[in-house]
């Protein structure tokens, strides 16, 4: 099993979103990292055949990305997947299974398996519009797995999942990576750190790193922020709220990923919600504190506007 991406490019007006990237994927898990606007989603959409590259080719075992056989072996969870709010969870999976060419008995059997896998069996007959954000995300993961894909592409798959759900997701992906090519992007660093066989880093549409997680990587390489540690008092002062166990569990593995050149309200010292990381803005600086270390200090990131 081999996915070959050969010098693919994509340009929107004056912006080059993906700039002549070449990669080879074999069975395993690949983590895709990059700040907002780095080109990650465009890159993944081209691999899924949603976008056509302006140049270059994408093939899997010799099949072009536009071929029906390629798509038959593909599972895809976009950042914002569409659903019918009046459908139940079961209805949605059965509907998606039909679109993927499964027979009715196959679809029902597989839907039941996946609903159990993502812990939605008890709510399978409830309408999707009643689901929480995390439940909808789990349903999205389930639909991506319906056809037992050889190539699984997941764009921000853990968005909205609580810490327990993220652990379940990581365990599931580890198993899938033994038989499939899994490409996932995430802002929750621990999801990649613990399970990815290889790391891919993008910046301004270019490939800037590929290799193993322990090859000298650090937070600054892909966020543009300075890694810092502080004690509990400083963390609470900077974040403007108590650092308790609940907050720690919510922030575990997260990081600030906003472009440090973005403009924020300098008059405000209220806690900021920075892309699912909790932080605060003080005098041009962004602070967030994702996790408590074994030494009792809090790891975080800081960006100061230039």
């Amino acid at each position: 099993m081999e996915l070959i991406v050969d010098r693919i490019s994509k340009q929107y007006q004056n912006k080059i979103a993906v700039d002549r990237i070449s990669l080879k994927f074999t069975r395993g898990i690949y983590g895709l990292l990059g700040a907002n606007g780095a080109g990650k989603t465009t890159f993944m959409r081209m691999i899924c055949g949603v976008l056509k590259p302006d140049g270059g080719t994408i093939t899997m075992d010799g099949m072009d990305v536009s071929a029906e056989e390629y798509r038959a072996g593909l599972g895809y969870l976009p950042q914002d997947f569409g659903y019918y709010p009046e459908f139940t969870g079961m209805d949605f999976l059965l509907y998606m299974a039909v679109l993927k060419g499964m027979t009715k008995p196959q679809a029902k059997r597989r839907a039941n398996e996946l609903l159990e896998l993502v812990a939605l069996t008890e709510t399978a007959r409830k309408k999707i519009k009643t689901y929480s954000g995390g439940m909808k995300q789990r349903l999205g993961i389930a639909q991506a797995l319906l056809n037992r894909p050889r190539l699984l592409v997941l764009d921000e798959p853990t968005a909205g999942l609580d810490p327990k759900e993220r652990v379940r997701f990581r365990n599931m992906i580890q198993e899938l990576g033994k038989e499939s090519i899994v490409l996932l992007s995430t802002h929750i660093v621990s999801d990649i750190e613990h399970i990815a066989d290889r790391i891919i880093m993008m910046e301004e549409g270019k490939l800037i790193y590929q290799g193993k997680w322990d090859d000298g990587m650090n937070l600054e390489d892909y966020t543009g922020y300075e890694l810092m540690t502080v004690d509990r008092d400083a963390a609470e002062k900077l974040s403007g709220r108590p650092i308790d166990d609940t907050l720690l569990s919510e922030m575990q593995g997260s990081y600030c990923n906003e472009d440090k050149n973005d403009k924020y309200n300098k008059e405000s010292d209220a806690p900021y919600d920075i892309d699912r990381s909790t932080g605060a803005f003080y005098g041009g600086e962004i602070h967030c504190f994702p996790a408590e270390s074994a030494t009792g200090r809090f790891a975080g990131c800081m960006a100061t506007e230039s």
Side-chain angles (χ1 to χ4, degrees):
M1 187 184 306
E2 189 173 70
L3 174 68
I4 297 177
V5 176
D6 186 18
R7 294 169 292 178
I8 63 169
S9 300
K10 188 67 180 180
Q11 183 169 345
Y12 299 106
Q13 296 181 346
N14 296 325
K15 178 179 174 60
I16 299 175
V18 174
D19 190 5
R20 294 171 296 175
I21 288 182
S22 295
L23 287 165
K24 182 169 73 172
F25 300 85
T26 55
R27 191 178 287 111
I29 302 169
Y30 297 79
L32 179 60
L33 295 173
N36 284 353
K40 303 186 303 298
T41 294
T42 298
F43 177 70
M44 298 177 97
R45 293 182 75 190
M46 287 193 288
I47 285 179
C48 293
V50 178
L51 286 177
K52 185 177 180 180
D54 294 332
T57 60
I58 301 168
T59 58
M60 184 165 65
D61 294 340
M63 297 177 291
D64 187 78
V65 66
S66 62
E68 187 67 35
E69 294 89 345
Y70 182 105
R71 292 194 295 270
L74 172 69
Y76 177 41
L77 175 65
Q79 208 166 48
D80 297 302
F81 83 96
Y83 59 89
Y84 295 99
E86 295 296 326
F87 276 25
T88 66
M90 174 63 82
D91 289 340
F92 178 74
L93 289 185
L94 294 176
Y95 170 72
M96 294 299 295
V98 170
L99 294 182
K100 292 174 183 282
M102 300 171 70
T103 65
K104 192 171 181 178
Q106 287 175 332
K108 194 166 185 178
R109 183 168 56 251
R110 184 63 174 153
N112 281 317
E113 290 174 3
L114 291 171
L115 286 166
E116 184 175 356
L117 183 66
V118 299
L120 288 177
T121 300
E122 293 183 3
T123 55
R125 301 296 176 181
K126 293 184 178 180
K127 291 184 177 181
I128 300 174
K129 67 180 182 182
T130 68
Y131 284 13
S132 67
M135 291 166 69
K136 290 173 184 174
Q137 193 69 1
R138 281 183 273 154
L139 185 64
I141 291 169
Q143 66 79 28
L145 299 174
L146 275 167
N147 58 331
R148 305 182 191 275
R150 299 168 64 219
L151 170 60
L152 180 61
V153 179
L154 305 169
D155 196 355
E156 298 287 346
T158 57
L161 301 186
D162 65 31
K164 185 183 294 184
E165 290 169 337
R166 292 208 303 268
V167 171
R168 184 189 299 121
F169 168 79
R170 287 200 297 261
N171 292 339
M172 178 175 64
I173 293 300
Q174 276 185 310
E175 289 301 312
L176 292 169
K178 295 175 182 178
E179 301 296 332
S180 307
I181 298 169
V182 180
L183 174 63
L184 68 92
S185 71
T186 180
H187 288 155
I188 301 172
V189 179
S190 60
D191 290 340
I192 289 179
E193 180 182 12
H194 294 303
I195 66 172
D197 300 303
R198 306 283 291 179
I199 299 295
I200 300 165
M201 291 167 50
M202 292 181 64
E203 183 178 57
E204 297 182 350
K206 296 181 182 294
L207 177 67
I208 62 169
Y209 178 89
Q210 57 174 314
K212 292 186 178 296
W213 176 266
D214 58 1
D215 289 348
M217 285 184 60
N218 65 70
L219 193 64
E220 296 176 59
D221 289 335
Y222 54 93
T223 64
Y225 296 141
E226 176 187 350
L227 184 63
M228 61 185 297
T229 59
V230 296
D231 59 25
R232 179 181 289 269
D233 288 343
E236 291 181 343
K237 181 177 179 181
L238 288 168
S239 63
R241 66 184 66 187
I243 304 292
D244 57 20
D245 291 341
T246 301
L247 183 59
L248 280 176
S249 67
E250 290 174 353
M251 298 169 70
Q252 180 69 43
S254 301
Y255 67 91
C256 304
N257 80 313
E258 294 290 343
D259 185 340
K260 66 180 180 182
N261 293 317
D262 285 350
K263 301 301 179 185
Y264 295 89
N265 178 11
K266 292 190 177 183
E267 300 301 318
S268 173
D269 63 356
Y272 250 81
D273 184 31
I274 303 177
D275 206 23
R276 295 183 304 281
S277 296
T278 305
F281 182 75
Y282 287 85
E285 295 180 348
I286 300 169
H287 304 268
C288 70
F289 302 93
E292 186 176 15
S293 70
T295 63
R297 294 179 67 81
F298 291 78
C301 62
M302 177 178 72
T304 303
E305 282 189 341
S306 54

